[in-house]
Amino acid sequence: MLVLTLHVVTLVLLWSPSVPAATVHLYVSPTGSDSNDGRQVSHPLKTLSHVVDVLQTDGIRGNTVFVEMMKGYYDLSSTWHFSHHVTGTVVFRAYQGQEVHVVGGKRMPSSLFRHVTNSHVLQRLPQVSRDKVLELDLASAGITDLGTLTSYGFHIYTYTAPMEIFINGKPLQLAEWPNNDFINIRSTPDGQHGLKFTYNDTGNRDTHWAQETEPWTYGF
């Protein structure tokens, strides 16, 4: 997820205008409307994608433009593109030092989370944690493309980073066992280069995951 927090000038786009440029201010706010012209602070535009379209219109194109981003969250649903048809100098900045967030992910209210009730899922969890685990139906939050989880990190190159969940700006870790350190391998029945190994699990935690079809392991 891309998150930019702005308090001062953050992005300057420079082109060479063919005629002397005037100075224009465009105002944008998460509570604005793209039906506004954005030329007055009381009538701001709403979305950054529409701001880019406005930059290419007559009366705006070729001028020195300050895009005044008013406080709040600006959610991007797709890649933010700038056309080579935009000319002049364009400065995106936080209006009067207000706190601005440009978010490339999907914000989800905490009210969408529910306690786990599925008995098959609960059986995988230790008894002590079953009433403490929450779940979220991503489809109900408007997320239907889950991507593909692949190996990454440790100098492993990947084209697309896997989906992550952030709470208060911090990424959550995938559930794992053990939470700290590693378990010790007892033996490798098929030899050092085989695909089988045995280990100690005094709590029989692995029996709760017997029906899991895509287990992931990591070790060295």
Side-chain angles (χ1 to χ4, degrees), residues 6-8 32 82 117 130 157 168 176 183 190:
L6 314 179
H7 296 278
V8 294
F82 291 90
T117 57
R130 291 180 181 179
Y157 182 79
N168 296 329
E176 63 179 18
I183 58 175
D190 295 337

Side-chain angles (χ1 to χ4, degrees), residues 110-189:
S110 59
S111 59
L112 292 179
F113 287 84
R114 298 286 187 269
H115 284 281
V116 175
T117 57
N118 186 301
S119 59
H120 296 291
V121 175
L122 290 173
Q123 288 176 2
R124 302 178 188 175
L125 305 174
Q127 184 68 40
V128 68
S129 63
R130 291 180 181 179
D131 62 345
K132 299 179 177 64
V133 178
L134 303 178
E135 66 179 357
L136 168 66
D137 179 7
L138 292 177
S140 68
I143 301 175
T144 56
D145 183 1
L146 306 183
T148 302
L149 181 62
T150 59
S151 298
Y152 64 98
F154 302 98
H155 302 288
I156 299 175
Y157 182 79
T158 180
Y159 289 98
T160 304
M163 180 183 293
E164 293 183 280
I165 297 178
F166 291 74
I167 293 183
N168 296 329
K170 296 182 179 180
L172 299 185
Q173 179 177 296
L174 289 175
E176 63 179 18
W177 176 79
N179 290 325
N180 300 300
D181 302 320
F182 294 87
I183 58 175
N184 292 323
I185 293 177
R186 294 179 56 195
S187 66
T188 53

